[in-house]
């Protein structure tokens, strides 16, 4: 599974053993932007795809529903004086998402 940001959206591709399946993080409602940078991906125990990404100094989390393929998203960090430099997303044993954020100052947030 790979994720990347182009000039218009966050893209995700997953290989199912035969072909690559592509998807675009796309929200139909809400104030969450569906573009950004520093994309990090993880899957939960049901193989639902989670995506974390930054837009400036804000951080967002998106989850793809395995039923119908719709995306839902939320703001994790709503801006601040420090730019984001790297993100790492993972799921815990009970499918709770965990996120580490490296800021431009060298500080690490969780």
């Amino acid at each position: 599974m790979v994720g990347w940001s182009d000039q218009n959206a966050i893209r995700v591709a997953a290989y199912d053993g035969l072909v690559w399946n592509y998807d675009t993080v796309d929200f139909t409602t809400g104030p969450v932007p569906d573009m950004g940078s520093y994309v990090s991906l993880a899957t939960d125990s049901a193989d639902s795809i989670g995506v974390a990404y930054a837009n400036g100094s804000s951080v967002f989390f998106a989850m793809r529903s395995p039923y119908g393929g719709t995306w839902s998203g939320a703001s994790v960090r709503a801006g601040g004086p420090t730019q984001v430099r790297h993100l790492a997303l993972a799921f815990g044993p009970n499918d709770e998402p965990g996120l580490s954020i490296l800021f431009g100052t060298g500080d690490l947030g969780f």
Side-chain angles (χ1 to χ4, degrees):
M1 182 171 58
V2 294
W4 68 96
S5 175
D6 65 19
Q7 294 179 353
N8 301 310
I10 304 293
R11 313 277 186 199
V12 176
Y15 188 69
D16 67 6
L18 298 174
V19 297
W20 283 94
N21 297 290
Y22 296 88
D23 200 1
T24 300
V25 176
D26 184 24
F27 306 108
T28 55
T29 60
V32 179
D34 49 10
M35 55 187 250
S37 56
Y38 304 106
V39 178
S40 181
L41 303 173
T43 56
D44 67 8
S45 64
D47 290 335
S48 296
I49 299 171
V51 179
Y53 58 97
N55 189 310
S57 59
S58 297
V59 177
F60 301 93
F61 174 74
M63 193 80 176
R64 184 178 187 275
S65 169
Y67 315 105
T70 58
W71 289 90
S72 59
S75 174
V76 176
R77 178 179 188 264
T82 307
Q83 291 289 86
V84 173
R85 294 292 177 236
H86 186 72
L87 299 172
L89 175 66
F91 284 94
N94 295 317
D95 289 335
E96 68 277 356
L99 180 63
S100 62
I101 306 168
L102 179 63
F103 297 102
T105 58
D107 294 330
L108 184 62
F110 300 93

